[in-house]
């Protein structure tokens, strides 16, 4: 079994909601996560629906400011972009990071706000999944061949050369989000990793088994999880509600039916996470629901991370 890794989601959206747009604080958080022993830092993507700092530009700065830690997108929406331009950006970012990049990708959750985001940039929302799949194929060709011609349903280009190439010959690994039968088939067919957020560990174990039965390549099972830590579980629940409803502008009860979320003590949080690692998750990306993200990062590293490291390994 692969070693367990723990990642930290940089609070780009939380910072933007507060009206604070200083990127230096986010870069400092990435440096601190590396110093505290996290394995990866991640940045989300939503230019219109939930505006925040651009993930690729932010991670470029983080790549220069760090040395060891893996950088990832959680998750990028490639259907909003042309694959030539995105492949170029990702290859350059992988160079800046010296091969430390993971490209987490998704299609975009189906709701009115997300549809409006796609409409704003002129992309037909119902075609986003086929654009996603076609973009992955096109980018992998662009990363691995000297000259590429491509004709698909959405993109058509000829004799294109990209420079620089990514650090790794096959390009950065692509992890896909998603649950449900079509998404699981897509993960098995296209992805190097799976980054879902199922609220029930039983669903995670079942879906992972489905993927592994037909996966086209060795795949990293990951998890995207939101936690709010407090020694008073009732207060943790109130703080989680405040954070999530501010983040999504939707009731907590609606969001937690879709996403893996926990509110409680540090010891309880470790037990909850270890249930997922016991079900097969080997890279856990933590989003903290916190008012003070500096203090939250320190608390998780000091009180939860050691318990996951100890109890999460077989």
């Amino acid at each position: 079994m692969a070693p367990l890794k723990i990642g930290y989601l940089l609070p780009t959206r939380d910072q933007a909601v507060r009206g604070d747009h200083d990127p230096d604080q986010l870069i400092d958080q990435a440096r601190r996560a590396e110093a505290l022993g996290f394995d990866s830092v991640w940045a989300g993507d939503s230019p219109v629906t939930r505006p925040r700092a651009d993930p690729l530009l932010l991670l470029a700065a983080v790549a220069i400011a760090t040395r060891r830690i893996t950088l990832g997108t959680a998750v990028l929406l490639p259907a909003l972009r042309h694959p030539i331009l995105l492949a170029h950006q990702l290859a350059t970012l992988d160079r800046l990071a010296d091969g430390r990049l993971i490209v987490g990708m998704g299609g975009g959750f189906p709701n009115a706000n997300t549809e409006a985001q796609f409409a704003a940039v002129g992309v037909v929302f119902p075609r986003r999944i086929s654009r996603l799949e076609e973009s992955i194929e096109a980018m992998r060709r662009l990363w691995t061949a000297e000259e590429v011609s491509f004709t698909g349903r959405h993109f058509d280009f000829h004799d294109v050369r990209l420079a620089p190439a990514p650090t790794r010959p096959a390009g950065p690994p692509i992890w896909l989000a998603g649950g449900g039968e079509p998404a699981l088939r897509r993960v098995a067919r296209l992805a190097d990793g799976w980054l879902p957020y199922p609220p029930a560990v039983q669903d995670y174990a079942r879906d992972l088994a489905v993927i592994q039965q037909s996966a086209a390549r060795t795949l990293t099972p990951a998890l995207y999880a939101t936690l709010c830590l407090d020694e008073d579980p009732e207060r943790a629940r109130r703080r989680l509600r405040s954070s999530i409803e501010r983040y999504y502008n939707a009731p907590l009860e609606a969001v937690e039916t879709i996403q893996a979320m926990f509110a409680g003590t540090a010891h309880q949080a470790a037990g909850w996470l270890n249930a997922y690692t016991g079900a097969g998750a080997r890279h856990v990306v933590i989003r903290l629901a916190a008012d003070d993200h500096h203090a939250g990062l320190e608390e998780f590293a000091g009180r939860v991370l050691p318990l996951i490291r100890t109890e999460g390994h077989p």
Side-chain angles (χ1 to χ4, degrees):
M1 185 177 290
L4 177 64
K5 296 185 177 182
I6 307 297
Y8 170 65
L9 183 78
L10 295 170
T12 55
R13 173 59 179 165
D14 300 82
Q15 179 174 301
V17 166
R18 297 195 306 268
D20 181 358
H21 302 291
D22 179 9
D24 289 341
Q25 295 183 42
L26 299 168
I27 297 166
D28 287 344
Q29 284 285 86
R31 287 196 193 98
R32 188 57 184 153
E34 182 174 60
L36 289 169
F38 284 83
D39 299 291
S40 58
V41 290
W42 302 73
D45 178 35
S46 184
V48 177
T49 303
R50 289 185 289 276
R52 67 193 76 184
D54 179 86
L56 302 186
L57 291 175
L58 175 61
L59 290 176
V62 171
I64 301 303
T66 58
R67 292 292 176 266
R68 171 194 58 81
I69 202 162
T70 295
L71 315 180
T73 56
V75 293
L76 190 70
L77 300 174
L80 296 177
R81 301 158 169 92
H82 194 286
I84 293 176
L85 300 179
L86 183 56
H88 189 206
Q89 289 176 304
L90 291 171
T92 302
L93 178 54
D94 194 52
R95 284 276 176 175
L96 287 170
D98 194 23
R100 291 182 284 143
L101 178 64
I102 295 172
V103 188
M105 294 183 175
F109 192 78
N111 61 33
N113 290 333
T114 308
E115 290 187 30
Q117 175 170 252
F118 277 75
V121 298
V123 175
V124 178
F125 189 71
R127 298 179 184 172
R128 71 196 188 283
I129 300 301
S130 60
R131 283 178 66 96
L132 165 66
E133 295 188 3
E134 200 167 286
S135 292
I136 291 172
E137 180 184 357
M139 288 192 294
R140 281 182 168 148
R141 290 193 197 179
L142 289 162
W143 289 333
T144 56
E146 289 188 5
E147 188 172 271
V148 177
S149 295
F150 183 92
T151 299
R153 179 182 175 188
H154 304 285
F155 307 107
D156 183 21
F157 53 86
H158 301 277
D159 305 326
V160 172
R161 295 172 179 265
L162 283 189
T167 300
R168 288 157 289 185
I174 292 174
W175 293 9
L176 289 178
E181 186 176 344
L184 298 180
R185 289 199 304 267
R186 183 164 53 253
V187 171
R189 177 166 47 89
L190 295 175
D192 303 296
W194 179 46
L195 183 58
Y197 44 57
V201 68
Q202 297 89 344
D203 293 340
Y204 183 93
R206 180 201 63 216
D207 290 352
L208 178 57
V210 170
I211 291 170
Q212 290 177 330
Q213 286 173 3
S214 57
R217 63 195 79 203
T218 301
L219 181 144
T220 301
L223 173 74
Y224 180 102
T226 299
L227 288 89
C228 185
L229 302 178
D230 199 299
E231 288 308 296
D232 180 343
E234 292 185 2
R235 187 166 57 212
R237 175 74 178 178
R238 292 194 299 271
R239 291 175 52 212
L240 177 65
R241 177 182 300 281
S242 175
S243 175
I244 292 303
E245 294 183 354
R246 182 173 62 239
Y247 192 105
Y248 288 105
N249 194 28
L252 172 62
E253 288 76 11
V255 180
E256 68 184 352
T257 63
I258 301 167
Q259 293 192 23
M261 295 190 174
F262 176 84
T265 69
H267 192 269
Q268 291 169 339
W272 180 77
L273 289 170
N274 285 332
Y276 282 95
T277 64
R282 305 317 300 157
H283 201 135
V284 180
V285 179
I286 301 299
R287 179 178 67 173
L288 294 177
D291 294 324
D292 183 338
H293 282 273
H294 292 280
L297 179 63
E298 300 283 342
E299 181 182 20
F300 183 90
R303 303 188 61 195
V304 182
L305 194 57
L307 297 177
I308 303 173
R309 296 292 194 194
T310 301
E311 299 173 17
H313 283 292

